[in-house]
Amino acid sequence: MIFGALAALSAVALSLPANAQEEKECDLDVDFAVHVGYQGSFLKDFTAYPGATRSLHSGVRVGVDADFEVYEYKGFEFGVRPGVFFSQKGEAYTKTADKALSYDLNYLDIPVTLRVSREVADDLDVIANFGPYIGIGLYGKNGTGSSSKEKHDSFGKDGELRRIDSGLNASLGLRYDDFLLTVGGQYGFVNQLKDTKTLTGSPKNVNFFVMVGYEF
């Protein structure tokens, strides 16, 4: 449904009248960018360790994306921006004397967003992105103690979390010349819990990120 809505919006944009050429222009232009930054996250609606105090899980977010510019109207540029990112998510808890509780989850995120941008000064653009993403769990460690032997792959055969995630991705950024600064977040729609025998809740990935990048 989400992908269908994006396709419909793109079709509407491309079908707008082409008169007044000085204000409107339809052209396909492709740019590529690399990004790296900080990501904070937690698992919404999860009760893995009742009584433990949650704290923000910190990780990295690094990846590449492509910007397909397809339409320009009165100074606004519209495009589609697919990408691939290595994304560290999860949840952390306050450490106790004998336990270091955490979910360290590593994903491959694939966002496909609609991009709208506008130049606000010489070589300075404001950029907004919004659209769906798919996340693929690569490996996740659930630490219930100080020993590494007490950890297991959260996505594996004996793991408690689903490997596939999806939801919405949104960001706002600045582009100065070829340099990018992006602030954004993701909200997952998929209940990640597959093992309900010992755990309760309906955990969903929620995160925010701050990244710097360079566009080619």
Side-chain angles (χ1 to χ4, degrees), residues 36-113:
V36 61
Y38 167 83
Q39 182 162 266
S41 63
F42 65 95
L43 290 167
K44 184 177 180 294
D45 299 327
F46 199 24
T47 54
Y49 303 111
T53 302
R54 293 184 178 189
S55 60
L56 190 68
H57 180 279
S58 295
V60 301
R61 183 176 179 86
V62 57
V64 298
D65 60 12
D67 186 304
F68 295 83
E69 181 181 321
V70 296
Y71 197 75
E72 184 176 352
Y73 178 69
K74 292 186 177 181
F76 289 92
E77 296 179 354
F78 300 86
V80 179
R81 198 168 191 125
V84 178
F85 291 82
F86 173 73
S87 179
Q88 292 186 320
K89 305 177 187 180
E91 185 160 275
Y93 302 84
T94 300
K95 295 181 179 179
T96 62
D98 60 345
K99 291 184 177 181
L101 310 178
S102 66
Y103 274 87
D104 302 311
L105 309 177
N106 301 308
Y107 285 86
L108 185 69
D109 278 352
I110 306 173
V112 180
T113 59

Side-chain angles (χ1 to χ4, degrees), residues 192-214:
Q192 296 298 103
L193 188 61
K194 67 179 180 182
D195 178 8
T196 59
K197 296 179 181 178
T198 58
L199 300 174
T200 59
S202 55
K204 300 176 182 64
N205 281 307
V206 178
N207 64 276
F208 71 92
F209 50 81
V210 179
M211 299 187 297
V212 294
Y214 185 81

Side-chain angles (χ1 to χ4, degrees), residues 118-140:
R118 183 178 177 87
E119 186 176 35
V120 295
D122 289 342
D123 295 324
L124 181 63
D125 298 332
V126 175
I127 305 171
N129 299 281
F130 181 80
Y133 77 89
I134 294 176
I136 302 172
L138 301 175
Y139 182 77

